[in-house]
Amino acid sequence: MRWPGVLEYFADYLPVTSHTPLITLNEGNTPLVESYQLVEKLGAGKLYFKFEGMNPTGSFKDRGMVVAVAKAKEEGRAVVMCASTGNTSASAAAYAQRAGLSCIVLIPQGKIALGKLSQALMHGARVLAVQGNFDDALSIVRYITSHYPVALVNSLNPYRIEGQKTAAFEVVEWLGESPDYLALPVGNAGNITAYWKGFKELKEKGKITSLPRMLGFQAEGAAPLVSGKPVSNPQTVATAIRIGNPASWKGAIAARDESGGLIEAVSDEEILQAQRMLAEEEGIFVEPASAASFAGVLKKSEEGFFTGRETVVCVLTGHGLKDPDIAIKQGEGRIEEVGASAEEVVEILGLEREHV
Ligand SMILES: *Cc1c(COP(=O)(O)O)cnc(C)c1O
């Protein structure tokens, strides 16, 4: 089938005018993969994974970035800029090229996964590594974009949220209704804000009769929404959610409270275990931050949270290939060396011949 991308397909729900350039990398339309194995561990009725790693640059950021970049072009901007833990810069760089704009990205020095950095570089962005964390980089970008003719494409840009809400539309289109629970990792909190907005719009339009409860999960060392106060030195292996002062703080709290949901923390160990479980048991390879949604759902199920009749959707925000270092570290010691002969391979595998 022909999939035209987010701007064209969801035009009626987006700030698309006759002047908006309908740029696209055919983002969106990502699979809602049904769980075969992990659902058994949960005690929920049905478990699905919204695999956003299948977007063109490997994360959900593409949904919002296509809208933000198209609007920047429509408004006559020549340069876009963002602070990024990685995926925003990869996406901004790709869509800026697509639209014929130039792109500047500010990343926290040394704290960005290899795959993401390689994307920003390959797409020709100007990459500045800031000697500070994401929150420092974002405040610099906010200052520059409000004083210079440069478009801000962080999720503070409302067009980002507009684009990202289309993932909620796809979940509903796939299931034919709203799920009971929607779980997702929370960093800067744009995505939880966007999903909630998307579900609420569908309810207002009468397309769904009920709303999901939103389950947000932060990493223990970067959980300002759980503790209720900013974290000055956020720490977690899940670099995409290593954020101490979420820009969409209010949106996240509103999504939690209006939906009767929760925002809780999971440890790095739980995140990495969930990442391995998704890869080994379901065949889905995600980056660590993405696994926080399933890690959280698993933890809640161990606390007896689910009754066994619910439909749960875990959003898997980014592809595992984004962060090869973490994956290889987790597999360390698993590679066995062997001589280049069939006999040696047979021996090491302990294979026995079939007797006829
Ligand atoms: C950006 C990102 C997040 C966090 O999303 P927020 O909107 O900042 O809460 C989670 N996972 C991945 C892979 C991301 O790229």
PDB file of all heavy atoms in Angstrom, residues 53-90:
ATOM      1  N   GLY A  53      10.613   2.409  16.741  1.00  0.00           N
ATOM      2  CA  GLY A  53      11.944   2.267  16.141  1.00  0.00           C
ATOM      3  C   GLY A  53      11.870   2.045  14.639  1.00  0.00           C
ATOM      4  O   GLY A  53      12.884   2.122  13.939  1.00  0.00           O
ATOM      5  N   MET A  54      10.663   1.767  14.121  1.00  0.00           N
ATOM      6  CA  MET A  54      10.498   1.527  12.693  1.00  0.00           C
ATOM      7  C   MET A  54      10.311   2.809  11.884  1.00  0.00           C
ATOM      8  O   MET A  54      10.052   2.761  10.685  1.00  0.00           O
ATOM      9  CB  MET A  54       9.307   0.588  12.451  1.00  0.00           C
ATOM     10  CG  MET A  54       9.500  -0.786  13.047  1.00  0.00           C
ATOM     11  SD  MET A  54      10.959  -1.614  12.394  1.00  0.00           S
ATOM     12  CE  MET A  54      10.357  -2.022  10.754  1.00  0.00           C
ATOM     13  N   ASN A  55      10.398   3.953  12.537  1.00  0.00           N
ATOM     14  CA  ASN A  55      10.345   5.218  11.800  1.00  0.00           C
ATOM     15  C   ASN A  55      11.642   5.430  11.011  1.00  0.00           C
ATOM     16  O   ASN A  55      12.654   4.811  11.315  1.00  0.00           O
ATOM     17  CB  ASN A  55      10.106   6.378  12.779  1.00  0.00           C
ATOM     18  CG  ASN A  55       8.628   6.538  13.090  1.00  0.00           C
ATOM     19  OD1 ASN A  55       7.837   6.838  12.201  1.00  0.00           O
ATOM     20  ND2 ASN A  55       8.261   6.307  14.339  1.00  0.00           N
ATOM     21  N   PRO A  56      11.626   6.347  10.020  1.00  0.00           N
ATOM     22  CA  PRO A  56      12.787   6.484   9.113  1.00  0.00           C
ATOM     23  C   PRO A  56      14.132   6.718   9.801  1.00  0.00           C
ATOM     24  O   PRO A  56      15.134   6.173   9.354  1.00  0.00           O
ATOM     25  CB  PRO A  56      12.423   7.685   8.235  1.00  0.00           C
ATOM     26  CG  PRO A  56      10.953   7.785   8.304  1.00  0.00           C
ATOM     27  CD  PRO A  56      10.503   7.193   9.591  1.00  0.00           C
ATOM     28  N   THR A  57      14.180   7.510  10.879  1.00  0.00           N
ATOM     29  CA  THR A  57      15.474   7.671  11.540  1.00  0.00           C
ATOM     30  C   THR A  57      15.561   6.818  12.800  1.00  0.00           C
ATOM     31  O   THR A  57      16.481   6.973  13.596  1.00  0.00           O
ATOM     32  CB  THR A  57      15.825   9.153  11.866  1.00  0.00           C
ATOM     33  OG1 THR A  57      15.090   9.576  13.013  1.00  0.00           O
ATOM     34  CG2 THR A  57      15.539  10.075  10.693  1.00  0.00           C
ATOM     35  N   GLY A  58      14.590   5.930  13.002  1.00  0.00           N
ATOM     36  CA  GLY A  58      14.699   4.963  14.085  1.00  0.00           C
ATOM     37  C   GLY A  58      14.101   5.377  15.414  1.00  0.00           C
ATOM     38  O   GLY A  58      14.329   4.707  16.422  1.00  0.00           O
ATOM     39  N   SER A  59      13.333   6.470  15.451  1.00  0.00           N
ATOM     40  CA  SER A  59      12.630   6.810  16.686  1.00  0.00           C
ATOM     41  C   SER A  59      11.351   7.584  16.372  1.00  0.00           C
ATOM     42  O   SER A  59      11.160   8.073  15.249  1.00  0.00           O
ATOM     43  CB  SER A  59      13.501   7.639  17.631  1.00  0.00           C
ATOM     44  OG  SER A  59      13.434   9.020  17.290  1.00  0.00           O
ATOM     45  N   PHE A  60      10.503   7.716  17.396  1.00  0.00           N
ATOM     46  CA  PHE A  60       9.231   8.427  17.222  1.00  0.00           C
ATOM     47  C   PHE A  60       9.421   9.906  16.915  1.00  0.00           C
ATOM     48  O   PHE A  60       8.482  10.593  16.509  1.00  0.00           O
ATOM     49  CB  PHE A  60       8.373   8.286  18.485  1.00  0.00           C
ATOM     50  CG  PHE A  60       8.848   9.104  19.654  1.00  0.00           C
ATOM     51  CD1 PHE A  60       8.479  10.443  19.779  1.00  0.00           C
ATOM     52  CD2 PHE A  60       9.667   8.552  20.631  1.00  0.00           C
ATOM     53  CE1 PHE A  60       8.920  11.209  20.851  1.00  0.00           C
ATOM     54  CE2 PHE A  60      10.119   9.310  21.697  1.00  0.00           C
ATOM     55  CZ  PHE A  60       9.746  10.640  21.804  1.00  0.00           C
ATOM     56  N   LYS A  61      10.629  10.434  17.149  1.00  0.00           N
ATOM     57  CA  LYS A  61      10.871  11.857  16.947  1.00  0.00           C
ATOM     58  C   LYS A  61      10.487  12.305  15.533  1.00  0.00           C
ATOM     59  O   LYS A  61      10.152  13.463  15.316  1.00  0.00           O
ATOM     60  CB  LYS A  61      12.343  12.186  17.212  1.00  0.00           C
ATOM     61  CG  LYS A  61      12.835  11.878  18.622  1.00  0.00           C
ATOM     62  CD  LYS A  61      12.135  12.724  19.671  1.00  0.00           C
ATOM     63  CE  LYS A  61      12.858  12.788  21.008  1.00  0.00           C
ATOM     64  NZ  LYS A  61      13.036  11.532  21.724  1.00  0.00           N
ATOM     65  N   ASP A  62      10.534  11.392  14.566  1.00  0.00           N
ATOM     66  CA  ASP A  62      10.230  11.750  13.175  1.00  0.00           C
ATOM     67  C   ASP A  62       8.806  12.283  12.997  1.00  0.00           C
ATOM     68  O   ASP A  62       8.563  13.137  12.148  1.00  0.00           O
ATOM     69  CB  ASP A  62      10.427  10.526  12.262  1.00  0.00           C
ATOM     70  CG  ASP A  62      11.881  10.094  12.204  1.00  0.00           C
ATOM     71  OD1 ASP A  62      12.769  10.884  12.591  1.00  0.00           O
ATOM     72  OD2 ASP A  62      12.139   8.953  11.782  1.00  0.00           O
ATOM     73  N   ARG A  63       7.869  11.779  13.778  1.00  0.00           N
ATOM     74  CA  ARG A  63       6.464  12.211  13.637  1.00  0.00           C
ATOM     75  C   ARG A  63       6.290  13.703  13.898  1.00  0.00           C
ATOM     76  O   ARG A  63       5.532  14.378  13.213  1.00  0.00           O
ATOM     77  CB  ARG A  63       5.579  11.501  14.674  1.00  0.00           C
ATOM     78  CG  ARG A  63       5.421  10.071  14.481  1.00  0.00           C
ATOM     79  CD  ARG A  63       4.532   9.507  15.594  1.00  0.00           C
ATOM     80  NE  ARG A  63       4.489   8.067  15.459  1.00  0.00           N
ATOM     81  CZ  ARG A  63       3.677   7.432  14.629  1.00  0.00           C
ATOM     82  NH1 ARG A  63       2.801   8.097  13.910  1.00  0.00           N
ATOM     83  NH2 ARG A  63       3.721   6.121  14.530  1.00  0.00           N
ATOM     84  N   GLY A  64       6.972  14.174  14.942  1.00  0.00           N
ATOM     85  CA  GLY A  64       6.840  15.578  15.294  1.00  0.00           C
ATOM     86  C   GLY A  64       7.789  16.443  14.488  1.00  0.00           C
ATOM     87  O   GLY A  64       7.488  17.589  14.163  1.00  0.00           O
ATOM     88  N   MET A  65       8.944  15.860  14.157  1.00  0.00           N
ATOM     89  CA  MET A  65       9.957  16.641  13.452  1.00  0.00           C
ATOM     90  C   MET A  65       9.486  17.008  12.053  1.00  0.00           C
ATOM     91  O   MET A  65       9.744  18.121  11.576  1.00  0.00           O
ATOM     92  CB  MET A  65      11.269  15.840  13.389  1.00  0.00           C
ATOM     93  CG  MET A  65      12.460  16.671  13.029  1.00  0.00           C
ATOM     94  SD  MET A  65      12.714  18.075  14.142  1.00  0.00           S
ATOM     95  CE  MET A  65      13.306  17.240  15.626  1.00  0.00           C
ATOM     96  N   VAL A  66       8.769  16.107  11.399  1.00  0.00           N
ATOM     97  CA  VAL A  66       8.310  16.410  10.040  1.00  0.00           C
ATOM     98  C   VAL A  66       7.372  17.622  10.061  1.00  0.00           C
ATOM     99  O   VAL A  66       7.411  18.474   9.173  1.00  0.00           O
ATOM    100  CB  VAL A  66       7.664  15.164   9.375  1.00  0.00           C
ATOM    101  CG1 VAL A  66       6.315  14.811   9.971  1.00  0.00           C
ATOM    102  CG2 VAL A  66       7.543  15.370   7.880  1.00  0.00           C
ATOM    103  N   VAL A  67       6.566  17.725  11.107  1.00  0.00           N
ATOM    104  CA  VAL A  67       5.643  18.863  11.211  1.00  0.00           C
ATOM    105  C   VAL A  67       6.428  20.140  11.550  1.00  0.00           C
ATOM    106  O   VAL A  67       6.251  21.184  10.923  1.00  0.00           O
ATOM    107  CB  VAL A  67       4.547  18.600  12.271  1.00  0.00           C
ATOM    108  CG1 VAL A  67       3.560  19.774  12.304  1.00  0.00           C
ATOM    109  CG2 VAL A  67       3.812  17.294  11.985  1.00  0.00           C
ATOM    110  N   ALA A  68       7.332  20.045  12.525  1.00  0.00           N
ATOM    111  CA  ALA A  68       8.093  21.224  12.957  1.00  0.00           C
ATOM    112  C   ALA A  68       8.952  21.782  11.822  1.00  0.00           C
ATOM    113  O   ALA A  68       9.024  22.996  11.619  1.00  0.00           O
ATOM    114  CB  ALA A  68       8.967  20.868  14.159  1.00  0.00           C
ATOM    115  N   VAL A  69       9.584  20.893  11.073  1.00  0.00           N
ATOM    116  CA  VAL A  69      10.458  21.344   9.984  1.00  0.00           C
ATOM    117  C   VAL A  69       9.624  21.913   8.824  1.00  0.00           C
ATOM    118  O   VAL A  69       9.959  22.951   8.251  1.00  0.00           O
ATOM    119  CB  VAL A  69      11.389  20.200   9.514  1.00  0.00           C
ATOM    120  CG1 VAL A  69      12.102  20.558   8.219  1.00  0.00           C
ATOM    121  CG2 VAL A  69      12.415  19.885  10.612  1.00  0.00           C
ATOM    122  N   ALA A  70       8.508  21.269   8.515  1.00  0.00           N
ATOM    123  CA  ALA A  70       7.637  21.787   7.444  1.00  0.00           C
ATOM    124  C   ALA A  70       7.129  23.180   7.803  1.00  0.00           C
ATOM    125  O   ALA A  70       7.099  24.084   6.956  1.00  0.00           O
ATOM    126  CB  ALA A  70       6.465  20.830   7.205  1.00  0.00           C
ATOM    127  N   LYS A  71       6.744  23.381   9.068  1.00  0.00           N
ATOM    128  CA  LYS A  71       6.236  24.694   9.477  1.00  0.00           C
ATOM    129  C   LYS A  71       7.363  25.739   9.490  1.00  0.00           C
ATOM    130  O   LYS A  71       7.146  26.893   9.132  1.00  0.00           O
ATOM    131  CB  LYS A  71       5.567  24.609  10.855  1.00  0.00           C
ATOM    132  CG  LYS A  71       4.296  23.772  10.891  1.00  0.00           C
ATOM    133  CD  LYS A  71       3.231  24.211   9.905  1.00  0.00           C
ATOM    134  CE  LYS A  71       2.385  25.365  10.370  1.00  0.00           C
ATOM    135  NZ  LYS A  71       1.239  25.612   9.424  1.00  0.00           N
ATOM    136  N   ALA A  72       8.564  25.330   9.875  1.00  0.00           N
ATOM    137  CA  ALA A  72       9.697  26.256   9.849  1.00  0.00           C
ATOM    138  C   ALA A  72       9.941  26.727   8.415  1.00  0.00           C
ATOM    139  O   ALA A  72      10.164  27.908   8.155  1.00  0.00           O
ATOM    140  CB  ALA A  72      10.949  25.581  10.420  1.00  0.00           C
ATOM    141  N   LYS A  73       9.859  25.792   7.484  1.00  0.00           N
ATOM    142  CA  LYS A  73      10.056  26.143   6.064  1.00  0.00           C
ATOM    143  C   LYS A  73       8.917  27.049   5.578  1.00  0.00           C
ATOM    144  O   LYS A  73       9.153  28.052   4.910  1.00  0.00           O
ATOM    145  CB  LYS A  73      10.134  24.864   5.219  1.00  0.00           C
ATOM    146  CG  LYS A  73      10.574  25.132   3.781  1.00  0.00           C
ATOM    147  CD  LYS A  73      10.823  23.820   3.046  1.00  0.00           C
ATOM    148  CE  LYS A  73      11.023  24.039   1.553  1.00  0.00           C
ATOM    149  NZ  LYS A  73      12.319  24.608   1.211  1.00  0.00           N
ATOM    150  N   GLU A  74       7.709  26.676   5.959  1.00  0.00           N
ATOM    151  CA  GLU A  74       6.537  27.490   5.572  1.00  0.00           C
ATOM    152  C   GLU A  74       6.686  28.930   6.079  1.00  0.00           C
ATOM    153  O   GLU A  74       6.322  29.887   5.389  1.00  0.00           O
ATOM    154  CB  GLU A  74       5.266  26.853   6.161  1.00  0.00           C
ATOM    155  CG  GLU A  74       3.985  27.591   5.818  1.00  0.00           C
ATOM    156  CD  GLU A  74       2.756  26.918   6.451  1.00  0.00           C
ATOM    157  OE1 GLU A  74       2.847  25.736   6.850  1.00  0.00           O
ATOM    158  OE2 GLU A  74       1.710  27.582   6.526  1.00  0.00           O
ATOM    159  N   GLU A  75       7.251  29.070   7.289  1.00  0.00           N
ATOM    160  CA  GLU A  75       7.418  30.398   7.881  1.00  0.00           C
ATOM    161  C   GLU A  75       8.679  31.113   7.391  1.00  0.00           C
ATOM    162  O   GLU A  75       9.036  32.182   7.895  1.00  0.00           O
ATOM    163  CB  GLU A  75       7.417  30.264   9.418  1.00  0.00           C
ATOM    164  CG  GLU A  75       6.020  29.928   9.948  1.00  0.00           C
ATOM    165  CD  GLU A  75       6.017  29.232  11.307  1.00  0.00           C
ATOM    166  OE1 GLU A  75       7.066  29.217  11.988  1.00  0.00           O
ATOM    167  OE2 GLU A  75       4.954  28.686  11.685  1.00  0.00           O
ATOM    168  N   GLY A  76       9.362  30.484   6.442  1.00  0.00           N
ATOM    169  CA  GLY A  76      10.492  31.152   5.788  1.00  0.00           C
ATOM    170  C   GLY A  76      11.816  31.045   6.520  1.00  0.00           C
ATOM    171  O   GLY A  76      12.762  31.764   6.222  1.00  0.00           O
ATOM    172  N   ARG A  77      11.892  30.130   7.490  1.00  0.00           N
ATOM    173  CA  ARG A  77      13.167  29.954   8.196  1.00  0.00           C
ATOM    174  C   ARG A  77      14.145  29.146   7.342  1.00  0.00           C
ATOM    175  O   ARG A  77      13.727  28.282   6.581  1.00  0.00           O
ATOM    176  CB  ARG A  77      12.950  29.225   9.532  1.00  0.00           C
ATOM    177  CG  ARG A  77      12.120  30.010  10.522  1.00  0.00           C
ATOM    178  CD  ARG A  77      12.708  31.395  10.748  1.00  0.00           C
ATOM    179  NE  ARG A  77      11.891  32.181  11.642  1.00  0.00           N
ATOM    180  CZ  ARG A  77      12.056  32.215  12.960  1.00  0.00           C
ATOM    181  NH1 ARG A  77      12.994  31.493  13.521  1.00  0.00           N
ATOM    182  NH2 ARG A  77      11.276  32.958  13.707  1.00  0.00           N
ATOM    183  N   ALA A  78      15.429  29.443   7.511  1.00  0.00           N
ATOM    184  CA  ALA A  78      16.454  28.718   6.754  1.00  0.00           C
ATOM    185  C   ALA A  78      17.246  27.762   7.646  1.00  0.00           C
ATOM    186  O   ALA A  78      17.920  26.858   7.164  1.00  0.00           O
ATOM    187  CB  ALA A  78      17.417  29.704   6.098  1.00  0.00           C
ATOM    188  N   VAL A  79      17.151  27.990   8.971  1.00  0.00           N
ATOM    189  CA  VAL A  79      17.955  27.202   9.906  1.00  0.00           C
ATOM    190  C   VAL A  79      17.066  26.687  11.039  1.00  0.00           C
ATOM    191  O   VAL A  79      16.249  27.426  11.585  1.00  0.00           O
ATOM    192  CB  VAL A  79      19.076  28.069  10.542  1.00  0.00           C
ATOM    193  CG1 VAL A  79      20.010  27.225  11.390  1.00  0.00           C
ATOM    194  CG2 VAL A  79      19.860  28.823   9.479  1.00  0.00           C
ATOM    195  N   VAL A  80      17.240  25.413  11.385  1.00  0.00           N
ATOM    196  CA  VAL A  80      16.567  24.871  12.565  1.00  0.00           C
ATOM    197  C   VAL A  80      17.622  24.462  13.587  1.00  0.00           C
ATOM    198  O   VAL A  80      18.767  24.180  13.239  1.00  0.00           O
ATOM    199  CB  VAL A  80      15.653  23.660  12.230  1.00  0.00           C
ATOM    200  CG1 VAL A  80      14.566  24.057  11.242  1.00  0.00           C
ATOM    201  CG2 VAL A  80      16.466  22.483  11.702  1.00  0.00           C
ATOM    202  N   MET A  81      17.221  24.446  14.851  1.00  0.00           N
ATOM    203  CA  MET A  81      18.186  24.156  15.914  1.00  0.00           C
ATOM    204  C   MET A  81      17.501  23.371  17.033  1.00  0.00           C
ATOM    205  O   MET A  81      16.326  23.606  17.336  1.00  0.00           O
ATOM    206  CB  MET A  81      18.713  25.471  16.470  1.00  0.00           C
ATOM    207  CG  MET A  81      19.811  25.319  17.502  1.00  0.00           C
ATOM    208  SD  MET A  81      20.396  26.969  18.019  1.00  0.00           S
ATOM    209  CE  MET A  81      21.926  26.526  18.815  1.00  0.00           C
ATOM    210  N   CYS A  82      18.255  22.459  17.635  1.00  0.00           N
ATOM    211  CA  CYS A  82      17.708  21.734  18.779  1.00  0.00           C
ATOM    212  C   CYS A  82      18.815  21.327  19.736  1.00  0.00           C
ATOM    213  O   CYS A  82      19.983  21.239  19.363  1.00  0.00           O
ATOM    214  CB  CYS A  82      16.953  20.479  18.321  1.00  0.00           C
ATOM    215  SG  CYS A  82      17.984  19.260  17.489  1.00  0.00           S
ATOM    216  N   ALA A  83      18.411  21.100  20.978  1.00  0.00           N
ATOM    217  CA  ALA A  83      19.263  20.397  21.941  1.00  0.00           C
ATOM    218  C   ALA A  83      18.791  18.962  21.920  1.00  0.00           C
ATOM    219  O   ALA A  83      17.613  18.711  21.690  1.00  0.00           O
ATOM    220  CB  ALA A  83      19.079  20.980  23.338  1.00  0.00           C
ATOM    221  N   SER A  84      19.689  18.028  22.151  1.00  0.00           N
ATOM    222  CA  SER A  84      19.254  16.650  21.966  1.00  0.00           C
ATOM    223  C   SER A  84      20.071  15.668  22.775  1.00  0.00           C
ATOM    224  O   SER A  84      21.281  15.827  22.925  1.00  0.00           O
ATOM    225  CB  SER A  84      19.381  16.301  20.481  1.00  0.00           C
ATOM    226  OG  SER A  84      19.047  14.959  20.257  1.00  0.00           O
ATOM    227  N   THR A  85      19.380  14.633  23.288  1.00  0.00           N
ATOM    228  CA  THR A  85      20.095  13.505  23.857  1.00  0.00           C
ATOM    229  C   THR A  85      20.458  12.530  22.732  1.00  0.00           C
ATOM    230  O   THR A  85      21.024  11.491  22.968  1.00  0.00           O
ATOM    231  CB  THR A  85      19.236  12.757  24.899  1.00  0.00           C
ATOM    232  OG1 THR A  85      18.050  12.281  24.233  1.00  0.00           O
ATOM    233  CG2 THR A  85      18.837  13.664  26.048  1.00  0.00           C
ATOM    234  N   GLY A  86      20.074  12.869  21.491  1.00  0.00           N
ATOM    235  CA  GLY A  86      20.499  12.053  20.357  1.00  0.00           C
ATOM    236  C   GLY A  86      19.455  11.900  19.269  1.00  0.00           C
ATOM    237  O   GLY A  86      19.688  12.235  18.115  1.00  0.00           O
ATOM    238  N   ASN A  87      18.280  11.381  19.633  1.00  0.00           N
ATOM    239  CA  ASN A  87      17.296  11.073  18.591  1.00  0.00           C
ATOM    240  C   ASN A  87      16.687  12.315  17.959  1.00  0.00           C
ATOM    241  O   ASN A  87      16.378  12.315  16.765  1.00  0.00           O
ATOM    242  CB  ASN A  87      16.203  10.172  19.155  1.00  0.00           C
ATOM    243  CG  ASN A  87      16.690   8.745  19.288  1.00  0.00           C
ATOM    244  OD1 ASN A  87      17.544   8.310  18.521  1.00  0.00           O
ATOM    245  ND2 ASN A  87      16.164   8.020  20.259  1.00  0.00           N
ATOM    246  N   THR A  88      16.513  13.365  18.743  1.00  0.00           N
ATOM    247  CA  THR A  88      15.987  14.604  18.170  1.00  0.00           C
ATOM    248  C   THR A  88      16.968  15.146  17.136  1.00  0.00           C
ATOM    249  O   THR A  88      16.566  15.612  16.061  1.00  0.00           O
ATOM    250  CB  THR A  88      15.736  15.645  19.275  1.00  0.00           C
ATOM    251  OG1 THR A  88      14.751  15.109  20.156  1.00  0.00           O
ATOM    252  CG2 THR A  88      15.229  16.965  18.714  1.00  0.00           C
ATOM    253  N   SER A  89      18.257  15.071  17.429  1.00  0.00           N
ATOM    254  CA  SER A  89      19.239  15.594  16.480  1.00  0.00           C
ATOM    255  C   SER A  89      19.281  14.747  15.217  1.00  0.00           C
ATOM    256  O   SER A  89      19.377  15.282  14.103  1.00  0.00           O
ATOM    257  CB  SER A  89      20.623  15.693  17.120  1.00  0.00           C
ATOM    258  OG  SER A  89      21.100  14.438  17.487  1.00  0.00           O
ATOM    259  N   ALA A  90      19.179  13.432  15.358  1.00  0.00           N
ATOM    260  CA  ALA A  90      19.174  12.556  14.180  1.00  0.00           C
ATOM    261  C   ALA A  90      17.989  12.901  13.284  1.00  0.00           C
ATOM    262  O   ALA A  90      18.116  13.026  12.059  1.00  0.00           O
ATOM    263  CB  ALA A  90      19.097  11.091  14.619  1.00  0.00           C
TER     264      ALA A  90
END
